[in-house]
Amino acid sequence: MGLNDNRNIVKAIRNMSDNELELYIYSLKKMAEVNVESNKMFLTGLNNLKSFFYKAAEVLMANLDKKYAVIVMDYANFKVVNEFCGRDGGDGLLLHTAKVLEEESSEESVLCHARADIFAVMMPYENQSELVDFIRRLDIRISEYKIYYKVLPAFGICLSDGDTRSVNNMYDYARMALATIKGKFYARYAFFDADMKEKLLLNKMIESDIVSALEKREIELFIQPKVSMLSGEIIGGEALVRWNHPEKGYVSPGSFIPVLEKDGLIIEMDMYIWEEVFKLIGERIKQGKKVVPISINISRLHIFDKRFKESLVSLSEKYNVPSEYVVLELTESGFLEDSTNIYEDMSYLRSKGFKVSMDDFGTGYSSMTMLKNQPVDEIKIDRGFIIDIEDTRSQSIIKHTVEMLKELGKSIIVEGVENETQRDFLVECGCVATQGFMYYKPMKAELYEELLDK
Ligand code: C2E
Ligand code: CA
Ligand code: CA
């Protein structure tokens, strides 16, 4: 029964006059019209995202026996098209895209213009090759659009499976697959696969568990000894964080640090590790045991934190640790990012007696001229430098780099020495210090202390 059939009931319930009732019905009709309009994209007339989710979900639910794919499409270079061909050129391309999508897809597909240059299709399929054919057809037909720029559509695809039958999820997954080929002109499409799913689940787990991990002391301090390649003696250590997850075991920092950096929690976690390091050194000094410097990693986010400098100074006071026992490692790219702040912070900390080390040297683009003026005591040469040490070109690069660094008066440590070939060549070049698996892997702090005590 529609509203018109129920006039009298509505009128009675709402206690309305005839005029009021007419006005009421008119306003309801208008609202319904506006709603239909607002579910369409203004330019192309395709469903907007909200209405796509709604309609596609209906189709999915009504056809539980069929397999569906959500394909998200995006132009790698739409900005360039807009800039060089004007707004009209850009709009024209979007209209052409909508037309191609409508013509190439079957009746059972649901189409969407999500925003700007992002489109989506949900379509039934039997096997994956159909989807690839579909994409190829789109690609060809889209390139028929006449502008003097080659347009580059890229596609991310997510297939419905047992636990992925939500359109919202499929859309997000397809976008993630798309993101993996962003900027790669040779790859035009990517399927959301098991690896991506695994990564996604891991990220979700990290996001939800990391805060309590800090509280529950699942975060542990590991230390990797640094050694002299001449004598094998331990000359220092690097503090490396480990997350001992109750179900997953040890989770590598490479997978959870990016998540922590995203929401700023890295600051809290670093503070925890730093405090453990100061505590450990302070205890050893108090007990008259052997002490060598330990480096701590400084995430680049600290540079924007006003308390950063002072917190290191107050830790050294709190635990009675002379600052020369703590080395601050900041990556080469970190030094390049916001040079004024970093220059000031690191200069200040050096004036307080801390040593500063440039980590992962060789992965960024600092020139020797820039290096000359950096407030840096030590250069930590990245593992990448020595991986293909048999190659004569690599050898000559290492030789010259080491010479120049020495001329600048910087200490040098090489990361990732794993075998004797690497060691022998480095010693020949005059490098003495290393941190590498050939000698020690990162270990629990207690083990490190036992080693030092020997
Ligand atoms: P990094 O600072 O460059 O640390 C050195 C990494 O190289 C460590 O990995 C270490 O285990 C590894 N490594 C050392 N020697 C060798 C070798 O001979 N062969 C190979 N294949 N690898 C070697 P790890 O512990 O997984 O740490 C990864 C990265 O996570 C670190 O790179 C650092 O950027 C970050 N990280 C670790 N702990 C912390 C922390 O407490 N705070 C912050 N902000 N970042 C941390
Ligand atoms: Ca480091
Ligand atoms: Ca490093």
Side-chain angles (χ1 to χ4, degrees):
M1 255 192 292
L3 190 58
N4 280 330
D5 309 314
N6 287 316
R7 278 167 177 264
N8 290 331
I9 302 172
V10 174
K11 201 172 143 189
I13 292 174
R14 299 225 159 211
N15 196 14
M16 285 169 166
S17 70
D18 280 338
N19 273 347
E20 283 169 333
L21 179 67
E22 288 314 317
L23 208 67
Y24 178 66
I25 289 170
Y26 176 77
S27 66
L28 282 186
K29 279 183 177 164
K30 266 286 159 226
M31 266 161 62
E33 274 172 32
V34 170
N35 256 331
V36 169
E37 271 317 303
S38 68
N39 282 334
K40 300 265 187 218
M41 283 302 263
F42 179 69
L43 181 68
T44 56
L46 296 183
N47 293 307
N48 68 12
L49 199 54
K50 193 170 134 207
S51 129
F52 171 72
F53 284 158
Y54 182 78
K55 288 187 186 162
E58 267 191 345
V59 173
L60 268 184
M61 293 318 276
N63 297 282
L64 287 174
D65 53 329
K66 280 192 189 163
K67 297 195 281 187
Y68 283 89
V70 168
I71 303 175
V72 176
M73 190 200 109
D74 179 8
Y75 284 102
N77 57 348
F78 189 65
K79 240 173 102 185
V80 184
V81 173
N82 252 344
E83 267 163 29
F84 285 86
C85 311
R87 197 66 206 214
D88 287 348
D91 283 358
L93 174 62
L94 298 180
L95 278 168
H96 176 71
T97 309
K99 183 166 159 267
V100 169
L101 279 173
E102 276 173 327
E103 289 171 5
E104 292 299 330
S105 51
S106 69
E107 297 246 301
E108 294 167 284
S109 305
V110 185
L111 304 180
C112 166
H113 180 187
R115 67 183 169 80
D117 59 336
I118 300 177
F119 293 83
V121 186
M122 190 189 78
M123 61 190 284
Y125 75 100
E126 290 288 332
N127 46 52
Q128 292 191 16
S129 61
E130 279 169 50
L131 299 169
V132 175
D133 286 345
F134 174 69
I135 284 171
R136 294 228 166 92
R137 281 204 313 275
L138 289 183
D139 206 13
I140 293 169
R141 292 232 25 221
I142 283 169
S143 64
E144 286 165 2
Y145 183 66
K146 293 275 171 280
I147 45 174
Y148 52 81
Y149 236 91
K150 171 124 186 78
V151 291
L152 297 166
F155 305 84
I157 310 148
C158 177
L159 309 176
S160 62
D161 67 21
D163 51 303
T164 312
R165 238 189 137 79
S166 130
V167 184
N168 294 48
N169 284 351
M170 286 168 73
Y171 179 82
D172 286 345
Y173 295 166
R175 287 202 61 172
M176 278 169 98
L178 183 58
T180 62
I181 51 167
K182 202 152 189 129
K184 297 181 186 159
F185 295 121
Y186 52 87
R188 303 306 285 276
Y189 64 87
F191 282 89
F192 180 74
D193 61 18
D195 273 3
M196 286 183 218
K197 186 155 196 170
E198 176 82 5
K199 217 168 175 180
L200 185 77
L201 291 176
L202 186 68
N203 275 357
K204 285 218 169 110
M205 181 282 279
I206 290 167
E207 273 168 13
S208 71
D209 292 2
I210 194 76
V211 178
S212 71
L214 280 165
E215 288 159 4
K216 285 189 283 190
R217 297 283 165 118
E218 285 164 22
I219 297 296
E220 290 177 18
L221 167 67
F222 269 49
I223 298 176
Q224 184 179 21
K226 298 177 185 172
V227 300
S228 154
M229 288 188 275
L230 297 177
S231 61
E233 190 195 358
I234 296 178
I235 53 173
E238 176 177 12
L240 294 163
V241 64
R242 291 291 180 269
W243 177 8
N244 192 356
H245 192 275
E247 288 138 38
K248 301 237 163 209
Y250 282 106
V251 184
S252 98
S255 61
F256 67 87
I257 285 186
V259 181
L260 291 177
E261 279 181 336
K262 221 167 56 191
D263 49 25
L265 276 170
I266 186 74
I267 296 205
E268 213 174 310
M269 194 218 69
D270 271 352
M271 283 294 276
Y272 175 75
I273 292 291
W274 299 349
E275 182 140 16
E276 292 294 299
V277 168
F278 279 94
K279 217 188 279 177
L280 183 150
I281 300 178
E283 259 324 294
R284 291 188 70 85
I285 292 176
K286 212 158 81 188
Q287 294 170 11
K289 291 179 170 170
K290 178 177 174 182
V291 179
V292 290
I294 296 182
S295 351
I296 54 178
N297 287 289
I298 314 283
S299 159
R300 56 193 179 77
L301 284 192
H302 292 284
I303 302 301
F304 306 102
D305 181 8
K306 293 265 175 287
R307 299 159 303 174
F308 159 65
K309 293 180 289 195
E310 291 314 326
S311 53
L312 284 171
V313 175
S314 53
L315 278 173
S316 100
E317 286 162 1
K318 181 174 173 191
Y319 292 101
N320 282 316
V321 172
S323 43
E324 75 217 48
Y325 284 126
V326 177
V327 183
L328 313 177
E329 284 191 13
L330 184 67
T331 58
E332 180 184 21
S333 50
F335 274 98
L336 300 178
E337 198 162 317
D338 180 348
S339 43
T340 343
N341 268 334
I342 288 166
Y343 190 87
E344 281 168 13
D345 283 2
M346 290 305 169
S347 300
Y348 171 80
L349 287 162
R350 274 175 102 204
S351 78
K352 291 283 173 191
F354 291 96
K355 292 263 177 297
V356 176
S357 175
M358 185 183 273
D359 200 358
D360 301 343
F361 177 79
T363 55
Y365 298 97
S366 49
S367 64
M368 289 292 163
T369 340
M370 282 163 77
L371 257 190
K372 195 178 71 186
N373 303 317
Q374 290 285 7
V376 165
D377 303 282
E378 179 191 78
I379 303 291
K380 206 167 184 189
I381 296 182
D382 190 69
R383 203 163 77 81
F385 258 88
I386 56 162
I387 278 183
D388 49 356
I389 199 117
E390 277 89 11
D391 184 354
T392 48
R393 275 169 309 179
S394 305
Q395 291 182 358
S396 111
I397 291 174
I398 297 168
K399 222 177 214 144
H400 287 107
T401 309
V402 171
E403 266 167 29
M404 281 192 276
L405 291 175
K406 284 197 164 163
E407 246 165 64
L408 293 177
K410 310 289 184 194
S411 311
I412 300 170
I413 177 162
V414 186
E415 259 183 324
V417 170
E418 293 183 347
N419 59 51
E420 283 165 10
T421 320
Q422 292 170 328
R423 183 198 59 192
D424 294 346
F425 181 75
L426 288 168
V427 170
E428 201 184 299
C429 293
C431 294
V432 174
T434 188
Q435 180 184 334
F437 289 177
M438 182 181 162
Y439 295 92
Y440 300 104
K441 290 195 168 170
M443 57 186 79
K444 281 178 183 274
E446 303 91 72
L447 257 170
Y448 168 78
E449 289 208 70
E450 280 172 26
L451 267 177
L452 268 191
D453 291 340
K454 268 185 206 159

